């Protein structure tokens, strides 16, 4: 691994439960309780601190579930790609270069498109981290398409 976390101090791999609605050979739908368990501890975009990431890819987009441990704060960095970030549990914050800090929890969605920023006073992109005493479980949907510039609120 590229991070400096020792095996002894590394938190246990997360298990994120979900329901799978599926259809059997006879065309009958069923629901099975499952868990996302395939996570790797790595940085989303260096120099941000490592976090648990489970990546799933399909049709030009990447969907991952990331678990930010309690007390996690990343370094200033840009989103690696334009991406929707959907908190599933816990709370997290995002601080932009203009000093605006937004805290979000389940049901509050963010679209990260801060590529092509320029460093100012040690800040570039955004700073993010967990808030409170539980991990922040986030679903991230990254687009393969390039980011837009100067187009706030482009999704209506």
């Amino acid at each position: 691994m590229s991070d400096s976390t020792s095996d002894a101090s590394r938190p246990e791999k997360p298990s994120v439960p979900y329901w799978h609605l599926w259809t059997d050979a006879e065309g009958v739908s069923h629901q099975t309780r499952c868990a996302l368990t395939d996570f790797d501890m790595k940085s989303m975009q260096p120099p941000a601190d490592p976090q648990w990431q489970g990546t799933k890819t399909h049709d030009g987009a990447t969907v991952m579930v990331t678990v930010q441990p309690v007390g996690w704060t990343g370094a200033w960095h840009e989103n690696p790609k334009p991406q929707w970030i959907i908190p599933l549990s816990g709370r997290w914050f995002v601080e932009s270069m203009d000093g605006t800090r937004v805290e979000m929890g389940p049901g509050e969605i963010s679209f990260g498109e801060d590529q092509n920023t320029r460093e100012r006073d040690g800040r570039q992109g955004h700073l993010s981290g967990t808030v409170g005493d539980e991990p922040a479980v986030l679903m991230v949907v990254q687009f393969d398409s390039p980011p837009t510039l100067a187009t706030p609120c482009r999704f209506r």
Side-chain angles (χ1 to χ4, degrees):
M1 292 199 139
S2 60
D3 65 67
S4 60
T5 306
S6 71
D7 287 339
S9 65
R10 181 174 298 125
E12 185 176 323
K13 273 192 174 188
S15 177
V16 179
Y18 70 98
W19 286 101
H20 182 188
L21 177 63
W22 59 280
T23 304
D24 66 21
E26 283 74 45
V28 178
S29 65
H30 304 274
Q31 293 195 75
T32 302
R33 187 72 162 160
C34 304
L36 299 172
T37 58
D38 187 13
F39 291 89
D40 294 310
M41 178 67 83
K42 60 185 179 180
S43 175
M44 176 94 54
Q45 178 75 13
D49 289 343
Q51 58 187 319
W52 289 111
Q53 295 182 40
T55 303
K56 316 295 182 251
T57 304
H58 182 71
D59 293 336
T62 299
V63 177
M64 71 177 74
V65 173
T66 182
V67 180
Q68 298 175 343
V70 173
W72 180 87
T73 301
W76 284 92
H77 65 286
E78 296 179 338
N79 284 290
K81 295 182 177 184
Q83 59 189 16
W84 288 105
I85 304 171
I86 305 103
L88 302 176
S89 64
R91 295 188 60 75
W92 74 305
F93 75 88
V94 176
E95 183 176 335
S96 54
M97 292 170 67
D98 68 3
T100 302
R101 179 184 162 118
V102 176
E103 294 185 9
M104 292 167 270
E108 300 175 284
I109 299 171
S110 174
F111 186 72
E113 194 173 29
D114 63 351
Q115 297 80 17
N116 302 307
T117 60
R118 294 186 185 131
E119 187 272 329
R120 292 202 174 112
D121 301 321
R123 298 176 170 201
Q124 185 167 8
H126 67 279
L127 183 68
S128 57
T130 56
V131 175
D133 59 359
E134 65 178 293
V137 179
L138 310 173
M139 177 171 280
V140 180
V141 181
Q142 293 182 333
F143 297 151
D144 287 342
S145 58
T148 61
L149 293 174
T151 313
C153 304
R154 71 179 176 113
F155 297 100
R156 295 187 185 262

